C-alpha cells in the first residue's frame, strides 16, 4: 500500500431516509489496491455506505470523491464514476431476458462503445476468469445461484472497473455454493483490484482483507487490521458481534 | 354426451326457466307489441349483389363493420404509442412530467367517456382537421386515380376527416388505460434490475430500452390484448361524432327500415362474434409455450 492519494474518499458523509439517519457523519478513505471488508449488524448502514460510492443512493451531507471525481449532481462525472466502479449485489440482479453473454456485453457496448465482436471476446475472457466459459449462451434462470453470482461478477468486470463493490455477495446462496464465489473473489483480490466488500464470511475476511471496518447504527465504530480485529476488537459492540458471527 | 350426464337437476331447472323467459319475451314482442319480424330483409344489408358493378358488394352493416375494424386497429396503434409515452412519463424522475401525466390520467378517469369523447372531438380533432386542411386533402384524393388504394385503409375517402377524428378521439381516450397497463408493467420489473443497469453506467433511456421495457412488455401483452377487445367495444361511442362505424350504420338502418329488433340483434351478434373471436385468438397465442419463464 503506497501513500498516494486514496482512490475513494468519503468525508463526513451523512445519508437520511426521511428522518431516519442511515449514515451518520461517516469518513472513510480507501487506497488503490486496498481490500476493505465491512461488517456489522443488519440495518447498520453497510449497504447504504457502499451504494453511496456509485451514487445508487445520493448522499445528503459531506463529500465523496472517487478516483478524483466528486460525486454530485453532475451527470458526466457520475457516468465516469460508474464506469470505474463495478457492483455485485446480494440478489445477483442479472437480466433474465438476456443470455449470459448478452448480460456481459450490454455495458461494454452501450457504455464503453465497444464493437460487438470485441465486447464478446472480452466477455468470454471474463467468463473464463470466473470458471464458467461454457455457460455463455444460457439464460440466467438456467444457472445455479453460485453460477449466477459468478456471472454477475464477470458482468461487473467487463466494464474493467478500478474498484469493485460487493454487497453480501454470498448471503443469498446455498451453503455449498458459497465457496465457488468466494474463490473467485479471492482470485480477484490477487489481481490487485480495489475491493470494498460487505460480508459476514469471516474466513474470507481474514484471507484477503487489508482492513476491517465495523459499522453500527450508521456509524463506523471501528477500523482495524484483520488480525487485531478478530483477536482483540477494541469496542465491546464489535466483540459482541464477532461472538455472534463466529459461533456458526 | 358425457357433458350432459354431468348436469344436475338444478341445471335443468335453470335452463327451463331461461327458455320460458325467452319465450315470454318473444310473445310480448310478437303478440302484444304486434311486431312483424322481417328477418328476410337483413341479409342484403350484410352483402348484396350489385347489378351495376356485376358483383357482390358489402351492405351497409358490412361497410360499418369494416370501418369499426379500421378505427379499432388504427386507434389501438396510436393508443399504444401514446400509452407507452404516458406510462414512461408516469415513472419519470422529473416531477413536472409525472404530474402532467397524472393529471391527464385523472381527467380521463373521472369524467364519463362520452363527455371526454365530445371534448376531444370539439376541442382537438375539429381544430386539428381544420388546421391541417385535412378536408381539402382528402377530397382531392377521393377524386384522384389512386382512390381505391387509399380506400382499402381508410374506407370512403370523402369520410376521411370524420374517420380520423374518430381514431384520434378513441386513441386519446384509450391511451389512459394503456398508460396504466404500461406503468404497471414497468413497476413489476424488480428494482434491482434498474439498479444493476444504473450501476453499469447505462443512461436512463438505455436502462429503459434494454433492461426494463423488454421485461415489462412480456407482462403487458395479456392485459393489452384484453384492452384491445375493450377498445373494439368502446369504438361504438364514436358513432356519436358521426363516424360511420357499425353502430352508426345500424342506427341509420333502423331509421330507414324500422326493423329495430332484427338490426340490433344482428349488430350485437357481429360485435359479439368479433370480440369473442379475438379473445379466443389471444388465448390461443398466449398458450403457445414461450422461450423461457
Ligand atoms: N430506501 C430506503 N428507504 C428507507 N429506509 C431505508 C432505505 N434503505 C435502507 N433503509 C434503512 O436504512 C438502514 C440501513 O440500511 P442498510 O444500509 O441496508 O443496512 P445493512 O446493509 O447494514 O443491513 C436500515 O434501517 C434500513 O431500514
Ligand atoms: Mg445490506
Amino acid at each position: 500500500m503506497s501513500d498516494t492519494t486514496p482512490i475513494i474518499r468519503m468525508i463526513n458523509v451523512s445519508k437520511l431516509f426521511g428522518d431516519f439517519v442511515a449514515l451518520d457523519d461517516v469518513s472513510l478513505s480507501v487506497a488503490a489496491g486496498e481490500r476493505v471488508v465491512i461488517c456489522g449488524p443488519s440495518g447498520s448502514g453497510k449497504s447504504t455506505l457502499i451504494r453511496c460510492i456509485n451514487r445508487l443512493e445520493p448522499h445528503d451531507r459531506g463529500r465523496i470523491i472517487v478516483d478524483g471525481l466528486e460525486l454530485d449532481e453532475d451527470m458526466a462525472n457520475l457516468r465516469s464514476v460508474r464506469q470505474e466502479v463495478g457492483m455485485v449485489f446480494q440478489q445477483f440482479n442479472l437480466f433474465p431476458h438476456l443470455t449470459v453473454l448478452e448480460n456481459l456485453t450490454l455495458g461494454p457496448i452501450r457504455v464503453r462503445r465497444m464493437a460487438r465482436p470485441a465486447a464478446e471476446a472480452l466477455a468470454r475472457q471474463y467468463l473464463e476468469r470466473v470458471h464458467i466459459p461454457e455457460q455463455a449462451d444460457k439464460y440466467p434462470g438456467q444457472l445455479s445461484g453460485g453460477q449466477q453470482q459468478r456471472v454477475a461478477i464477470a458482468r461487473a468486470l467487463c466494464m474493467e472497473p478500478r474498484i469493485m463493490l460487493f454487497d453480501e455477495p454470498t448471503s443469498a446462496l446455498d451453503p455449498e455454493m458459497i465457496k465457488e464465489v468466494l474463490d473467485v473473489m479471492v482470485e480477484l483480490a490477487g489481481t490487485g483490484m480495489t475491493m470494498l466488500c460487505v460480508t459476514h464470511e469471516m474466513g474470507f475476511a481474514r484471507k484477503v482483507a487489508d482492513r476491517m471496518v465495523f459499522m453500527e447504527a450508521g456509524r463506523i465504530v471501528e477500523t482495524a487490521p484483520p488480525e487485531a480485529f478478530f483477536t482483540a476488537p477494541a469496542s465491546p459492540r464489535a466483540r459482541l458481534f464477532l461472538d455472534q458471527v463466529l459461533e456458526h | 354426451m358425457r357433458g350432459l350426464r354431468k348436469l344436475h337437476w338444478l341445471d335443468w331447472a335453470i335452463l327451463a326457466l331461461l327458455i320460458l323467459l325467452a319465450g315470454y319475451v318473444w310473445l310480448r314482442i310478437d303478440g302484444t307489441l304486434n311486431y312483424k319480424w322481417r328477418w328476410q330483409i337483413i341479409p342484403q344489408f350484410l352483402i348484396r349483389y350489385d347489378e351495376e358493378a356485376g358483383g357482390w358488394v358489402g351492405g351497409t352493416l358490412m361497410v360499418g363493420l369494416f370501418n369499426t375494424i379500421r378505427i379499432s386497429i388504427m386507434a389501438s396503434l396510436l393508443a399504444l404509442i401514446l400509452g407507452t409515452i404516458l406510462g414512461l412519463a408516469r415513472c419519470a424522475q422529473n416531477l413536472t412530467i409525472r404530474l402532467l401525466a397524472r393529471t391527464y390520467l385523472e381527467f380521463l378517469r373521472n369524467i364519463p367517456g362520452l363527455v371526454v369523447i365530445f371534448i376531444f372531438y370539439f376541442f382537438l380533432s375539429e381544430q386539428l382537421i381544420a388546421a391541417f386542411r385535412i378536408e381539402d386533402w382528402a377530397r382531392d384524393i377521393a377524386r384522384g386515380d389512386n382512390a381505391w388504394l387509399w380506400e382499402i385503409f381508410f374506407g370512403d375517402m370523402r369520410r376521411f376527416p370524420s374517420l380520423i377524428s374518430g381514431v384520434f378521439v378513441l386513441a386519446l381516450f384509450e391511451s389512459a388505460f394503456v398508460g396504466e397497463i404500461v406503468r404497471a408493467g414497468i413497476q413489476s420489473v424488480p428494482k434491482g434490475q434498474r439498479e444493476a443497469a444504473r450501476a453499469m453506467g447505462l443512461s436512463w433511456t438505455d436502462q429503459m430500452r434494454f433492461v426494463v421495457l423488454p421485461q415489462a412488455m412480456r407482462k403487458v401483452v395479456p392485459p393489452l390484448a384484453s384492452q384491445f377487445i375493450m377498445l373494439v367495444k368502446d369504438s361504438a361511442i364514436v358513432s356519436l361524432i358521426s363516424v360511420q362505424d357499425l353502430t352508426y350504420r345500424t342506427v341509420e338502418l333502423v331509421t330507414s327500415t324500422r326493423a329495430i329488433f332484427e338490426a340490433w340483434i344482428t349488430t350485437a351478434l357481429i360485435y359479439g362474434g368479433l370480440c369473442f373471436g379475438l379473445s379466443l385468438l389471444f388465448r390461443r397465442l398466449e398458450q403457445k409455450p414461450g422461450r423461457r419463464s
Side-chain angles (χ1 to χ4, degrees):
Chain A
M1 228 135 311
S2 58
D3 49 4
T4 53
T5 49
I7 193 164
I8 300 172
R9 263 196 304 164
M10 302 180 80
I11 307 164
N12 304 111
V13 172
S14 293
K15 167 74 191 172
L16 291 90
F17 292 111
D19 292 338
F20 181 80
V21 185
L23 284 186
D24 188 3
D25 200 26
V26 167
S27 297
L28 178 70
S29 286
V30 178
E34 195 180 9
R35 273 101 47 176
V36 176
V37 167
I38 302 164
C39 62
S42 171
S44 57
K46 308 180 296 294
S47 298
T48 309
L49 176 86
I50 66 168
R51 287 159 61 87
C52 279
I53 294 172
N54 62 357
R55 210 172 167 83
L56 282 185
E57 305 285 2
H59 56 286
D60 295 305
R61 277 197 291 277
R63 300 174 64 195
I64 301 177
I65 298 144
V66 178
D67 204 13
L69 295 169
E70 171 128 25
L71 285 178
D72 50 26
E73 299 299 319
D74 187 346
M75 288 305 285
N77 265 7
L78 182 58
R79 288 197 80 181
S80 327
V81 165
R82 282 183 176 161
Q83 285 189 54
E84 293 298 317
V85 180
M87 184 157 195
V88 175
F89 301 84
Q90 183 175 346
Q91 299 296 340
F92 326 141
N93 293 347
L94 292 174
F95 306 132
H97 60 298
L98 301 179
T99 64
V100 166
L101 199 66
E102 288 164 346
N103 265 277
L104 267 60
T105 53
L106 181 59
I109 291 174
R110 297 301 304 178
V111 181
R112 297 178 59 198
R113 305 277 165 210
M114 286 175 74
R116 181 171 298 276
E120 285 184 358
L122 183 76
R124 288 186 195 281
Q125 178 194 327
Y126 279 108
L127 279 179
E128 198 92 46
R129 281 266 295 272
V130 299
H131 314 300
I132 35 175
E134 71 285 356
Q135 311 288 6
D137 297 318
K138 288 199 179 154
Y139 286 92
Q142 298 170 302
L143 304 182
S144 73
Q147 290 172 326
Q148 289 190 46
Q149 192 60 300
R150 285 185 283 153
V151 171
I153 294 173
R155 178 176 69 180
L157 291 175
C158 276
M159 298 298 292
E160 314 214 290
R162 296 193 59 198
I163 301 163
M164 285 284 285
L165 307 173
F166 294 85
D167 191 0
E168 305 206 31
T170 56
S171 297
L173 294 176
D174 293 333
E176 73 270 18
M177 293 170 184
I178 293 182
K179 187 173 175 300
E180 63 190 52
V181 172
L182 290 180
D183 285 348
V184 165
M185 289 168 63
V186 171
E187 287 164 22
L188 184 63
T191 67
M193 175 73 75
T194 309
M195 289 166 71
L196 263 81
C197 189
V198 176
T199 185
H200 290 166
E201 294 294 332
M202 291 305 150
F204 168 79
R206 265 179 213 273
K207 202 182 289 180
V208 305
D210 295 312
R211 191 150 51 117
M212 297 295 298
V213 168
F214 177 73
M215 291 188 70
E216 160 96 271
R219 292 170 166 274
I220 292 181
V221 175
E222 184 166 348
T223 308
E227 268 326 300
F229 182 74
F230 286 114
T231 49
S235 62
R237 291 190 177 285
R239 200 167 308 142
L240 191 68
F241 173 77
L242 280 179
D243 284 346
Q244 282 166 355
V245 175
L246 294 178
E247 245 170 44
H248 306 294
Chain B
M1 286 318 276
R2 235 187 307 132
L4 273 184
R5 218 162 279 149
K6 266 194 263 169
L7 287 179
H8 194 252
W9 67 267
L10 192 61
D11 298 310
W12 289 111
I14 293 171
L15 277 178
L17 216 65
L18 281 176
I19 291 169
L20 276 177
L21 193 69
Y24 175 72
V25 171
W26 186 271
L27 275 179
R28 287 281 306 177
I29 296 170
D30 214 31
T32 323
L33 287 182
N34 203 6
Y35 187 82
K36 291 275 170 292
W37 291 91
R38 289 174 296 150
W39 279 106
Q40 70 282 0
I41 67 164
I42 293 297
Q44 61 179 313
F45 299 117
L46 293 172
I47 188 164
R48 66 192 161 80
Y49 192 81
D50 190 340
E51 303 283 338
E52 266 175 57
W56 293 92
V57 295
T60 183
L61 290 182
M62 195 57 78
V63 172
L65 173 64
F66 278 119
N67 277 338
T68 288
I69 293 173
R70 282 189 192 103
I71 293 168
S72 300
I73 292 174
M74 289 189 275
S76 55
L77 289 179
L78 190 56
L80 190 64
I81 296 169
L82 292 175
T84 307
I85 295 171
L86 191 62
L88 283 170
R90 291 266 284 145
C91 302
Q93 291 156 310
N94 184 299
L95 183 67
T96 315
I97 294 179
R98 273 208 313 273
L99 277 180
L100 277 176
R102 182 68 193 269
T103 310
Y104 178 72
L105 189 85
E106 294 295 343
F107 165 75
L108 287 173
R109 260 199 196 150
N110 295 301
I111 295 174
L114 207 55
V115 177
V116 172
I117 295 280
F118 279 125
I119 289 180
F120 278 151
Y121 181 56
F122 290 116
F123 286 78
L124 276 175
S125 285
E126 290 276 78
Q127 312 303 325
L128 284 179
I129 282 168
F132 289 105
R133 308 179 67 82
I134 289 178
E135 304 252 10
D136 301 343
W137 177 78
R139 202 177 310 119
D140 290 346
I141 284 177
R143 290 195 194 119
D145 293 336
N146 286 331
W148 62 273
L149 186 62
W150 289 82
E151 287 184 1
I152 292 175
F153 292 104
F154 301 111
D156 186 349
M157 279 312 283
R158 283 163 305 176
R159 306 284 319 167
F160 181 77
S162 133
L163 181 94
I164 283 303
S165 40
V167 168
F168 261 132
V169 159
L170 201 57
L172 287 171
F173 180 60
E174 297 285 333
S175 64
F177 303 101
V178 176
E180 280 306 272
I181 292 173
V182 171
R183 181 188 59 83
I186 290 174
Q187 289 179 348
S188 75
V189 177
K191 211 166 106 262
Q193 293 288 309
R194 284 275 310 271
E195 288 185 348
R198 268 162 72 204
M200 271 157 97
L202 289 182
S203 65
W204 188 87
T205 354
D206 278 2
Q207 291 166 34
M208 282 296 163
R209 181 169 154 210
F210 294 104
V211 177
V212 178
L213 283 180
Q215 293 184 66
M217 280 310 162
R218 277 188 208 166
K219 301 231 170 75
V220 146
V221 167
L224 277 185
S226 2
Q227 191 60 41
F228 178 67
I229 295 174
M230 290 295 291
L231 183 144
V232 173
K233 289 192 291 177
D234 287 347
S235 73
I237 217 171
V238 298
S239 63
L240 288 169
I241 53 174
S242 305
V243 179
Q244 304 217 336
D245 74 329
L246 181 55
T247 303
Y248 185 92
R249 291 289 177 123
T250 311
V251 173
E252 273 191 341
L253 186 64
V254 167
T255 320
S256 59
T257 63
R258 315 211 40 77
I260 306 171
F261 291 99
E262 297 88 333
W264 283 114
I265 289 172
T266 307
T267 295
L269 288 175
I270 297 176
Y271 273 119
L274 179 61
C275 292
F276 187 63
L278 283 172
S279 76
L280 284 183
L281 175 74
F282 291 149
R283 218 171 304 164
R284 190 70 173 276
L285 293 177
E286 236 172 88
Q287 276 164 0
K288 256 210 296 200
R291 245 197 318 174
R292 59 204 164 258
S293 63

